[in-house]
Amino acid sequence: MRTAHTVVQVRAAEAALMATVPDGTLMDRAATGLAHACVDFLGGTYGADVVIVAGSGANGGDALYAGARLARRGARVAAILLSPDKAHAGGLAALRSAGGHVVPANEREDAVARADLVLDGIVGIGGKPGLRPDAVAVMDLVRRHDVPVVAVDVPSGIDVDTGETPEPHVRADVTVTFGTHKVGLLVDPGASAAGVVHLVDIGLGPYLPDPVVESLQASDVAALLPVPDRTSHKYTRGVLGVVAGSEQYTGAAVLAVSGALGGPLGMVRYVGPDEPARLVRARWPEVVAGEGRVQAWVVGSGLGEAPERAEDVARALAADVPVLVDADGLRHVLGRCEGEVLLTPHEGELARMLEVERTDVAARRLHYARAAADRWNATVLLKGATTVVAPPTGPVRVNSVSTPWVATAGSGDVLSGICGALLAGGLSPLDAGSVGCFLHETAGILASRGGPIVAEDIAAALPDAYRFVRGVGEGEDAERG
């Protein structure tokens, strides 16, 4: 599992660790890991041109020390110092000793134009969002000449604790972070600015408290998946009730049921209007139509705006079983929820629920997911490239497995069915939401193979996604054995 911590947590852990090791140890570990990552990115260092953009703090020091290591391995390394009088003295001396040099102000563009790689050492986790004008000017040169960027610890200018990007910031191809992931590296829009994230272990682990953000990996998902045994039957595996679709949106019912049947449950009951029910049973003859015993409800996909459908949502929420509310059903979640409830809005739906602008939600995804979870006393799954799953209390989960091809009509209906199946299988709303997202995106990747898909393709690929995840988990267990 990937875990992320706040700046305060990281600083406290660093202080505790530094009290046990010689001065400079952490910076040496960070610079060594950073240099190795740059070598991997470049495919070798001999003859490569590397430009360091260094600020005045320890972040710049990490970059300069890494630059010295690259210079000793045959790279031509130049440093653009944004605050020459405040540059990290030890790092600068090491760079010069290894053959690197400082770029004069009037030669910055030439140096950037020749570069094979730029190291962003402008500001680290102690900085505020945004960049100073001189840093913006240099990074504009980098963008103009299309030079790859490796960010040191975090892309300079993002809000490290939230992932928000209200001010100008660096967009990196790779971010090499130290000790633990930072929240802004896992949550969009900061995650998009970070590119591929590489974690360097500098020894912080024993000193870190519980994380504030988690990101499941395949082995974590495998460990959470409900798996039947030889004594299982359809009721012990779970029965899901699906209330979805309308005369106008018949496909939503079929897709939600498709997602549910791709899950680990034993039976699906469909409750809805005649035409969607006919289509569901034609597509899936094993589905039972009508009310009956269930272990969880999914309600909302394609209900439409008819006021009487509010009763469907109210009945599901009043049942003494876990409930997932999606899409049109979210209009009818009015007060604080009781019991185990999972709400699955996209940005527009959450904006409507909270009476804010959609652009605000997109810019502050973590903030608004947490706010909604607190307001409705429910776990909130905010869909997106990095889906945020926020429970009323405790760490937030972020799903970082994604493909843009799942952004297709009906994809959310399939997701609601998957998550509902996991609820019926006994998972908590937090686990059902985060595991469901992982499986949904994995199925999308397997189905698309880099090309267009439709929602039904995602549902059809779910068994392969389950097999892939379980295979990863069994492989790791075998390695441990």
Side-chain angles (χ1 to χ4, degrees):
M1 182 183 293
R2 291 180 181 172
T3 55
H5 295 80
T6 65
V7 172
V8 169
Q9 290 176 318
V10 172
R11 290 298 195 212
E14 287 176 340
L17 175 57
M18 285 190 289
T20 69
V21 296
D23 289 346
T25 299
L26 267 63
M27 184 166 283
D28 180 70
R29 292 174 180 175
T32 300
L34 176 59
H36 286 164
C38 290
V39 172
D40 289 343
F41 184 84
L42 289 166
T45 52
Y46 190 80
D49 281 288
V50 177
V51 171
I52 300 165
V53 186
S56 59
N59 192 254
D62 292 336
L64 291 167
Y65 276 119
R69 286 162 170 75
L70 296 174
R72 288 196 292 269
R73 297 185 61 157
R76 293 184 290 267
V77 184
I80 294 174
L81 304 180
L82 298 178
S83 300
D85 297 337
K86 299 179 181 179
H88 191 280
L92 185 56
L95 178 67
R96 283 174 165 154
S97 177
H101 68 281
V102 175
V103 180
N106 63 345
E107 296 179 13
R108 287 179 174 180
E109 181 161 10
D110 289 342
V112 169
R114 292 192 303 269
D116 299 300
L117 179 69
V118 166
L119 270 180
D120 160 32
I122 299 170
V123 64
I125 63 173
K128 296 179 180 179
L131 298 173
R132 293 185 337 206
D134 55 346
V136 171
V138 173
M139 296 313 298
D140 281 346
L141 294 177
V142 174
R143 281 193 293 272
R144 187 184 311 161
H145 292 283
D146 196 26
V147 185
V149 176
V150 172
V152 180
D153 211 10
V154 294
S156 295
I158 71 166
D159 189 312
V160 181
D161 278 348
T162 67
E164 297 170 16
T165 56
E167 303 291 341
H169 60 278
V170 170
R171 296 190 68 86
D173 297 274
V174 175
T175 296
V176 181
T177 198
F178 310 124
T180 182
H181 291 85
K182 285 69 184 179
V183 175
L185 302 180
L186 299 184
V187 179
D188 269 330
S192 295
V196 176
V197 179
H198 174 69
L199 176 64
V200 173
D201 183 4
I202 60 172
L204 286 189
Y207 305 95
L208 288 167
D210 291 339
V212 296
V213 170
E214 302 170 338
S215 180
L216 298 184
Q217 306 303 290
S219 58
D220 305 308
V221 174
L224 288 168
L225 280 176
V227 178
D229 60 33
R230 61 194 303 248
T231 66
S232 298
H233 52 78
K234 62 187 177 184
Y235 294 111
T236 60
R237 288 183 61 189
V239 180
L240 177 67
V242 176
V243 181
S246 59
E247 298 298 334
Q248 182 180 5
Y249 301 113
T250 54
V254 176
L255 292 170
V257 170
S258 295
L261 289 172
L265 46 62
M267 189 172 79
V268 172
R269 292 185 182 275
Y270 175 74
V271 180
D274 291 342
E275 181 59 13
R278 184 186 69 79
L279 293 173
V280 166
R281 297 186 71 183
R283 178 68 178 87
W284 301 107
E286 62 268 43
V287 172
V288 176
E291 302 266 2
R293 175 183 174 185
V294 299
Q295 275 78 51
W297 283 104
V298 165
V299 57
S301 299
L303 292 189
E305 300 182 10
E308 60 268 21
R309 301 309 297 271
E311 297 178 8
D312 293 328
V313 180
R315 279 197 303 272
L317 289 172
D320 191 24
V321 296
V323 182
L324 181 152
V325 186
D326 182 41
D328 295 328
L330 295 166
R331 301 173 185 273
H332 308 301
V333 181
L334 304 179
R336 288 176 65 80
C337 300
E338 301 294 335
E340 295 187 306
V341 178
L342 176 61
L343 309 179
T344 59
H346 57 56
E347 289 173 354
E349 290 163 342
L350 189 59
R352 183 176 64 243
M353 293 172 73
L354 291 171
E355 299 180 302
V356 298
E357 295 296 323
R358 181 171 188 157
T359 53
D360 294 336
V361 175
R364 306 184 68 193
R365 293 177 54 80
L366 183 61
H367 168 80
Y368 283 111
R370 282 172 164 164
D374 179 68
R375 178 168 172 178
W376 278 279
N377 190 39
T379 298
V380 174
L381 186 159
L382 176 57
K383 302 170 192 174
T386 54
T387 296
V388 175
V389 187
T393 59
V396 170
R397 295 254 179 92
V398 176
N399 179 55
S400 55
V401 176
S402 67
T403 171
W405 294 114
V406 303
T408 184
S411 175
D413 303 332
V414 174
L415 176 62
S416 71
I418 299 169
C419 295
L422 294 165
L423 283 175
L427 268 61
S428 69
L430 175 63
D431 286 342
S434 47
V435 170
C437 286
F438 193 102
L439 291 170
H440 181 261
E441 294 289 345
T442 300
I445 291 169
L446 294 173
S448 71
R449 301 185 184 275
I453 54 175
V454 295
E456 189 65 23
D457 296 329
I458 301 171
L462 280 170
D464 288 336
Y466 274 85
R467 283 188 282 271
F468 169 79
V469 167
R470 290 199 64 200
V472 170
E474 290 169 359
E476 292 199 357
D477 288 342
E479 288 180 7
R480 295 188 190 103

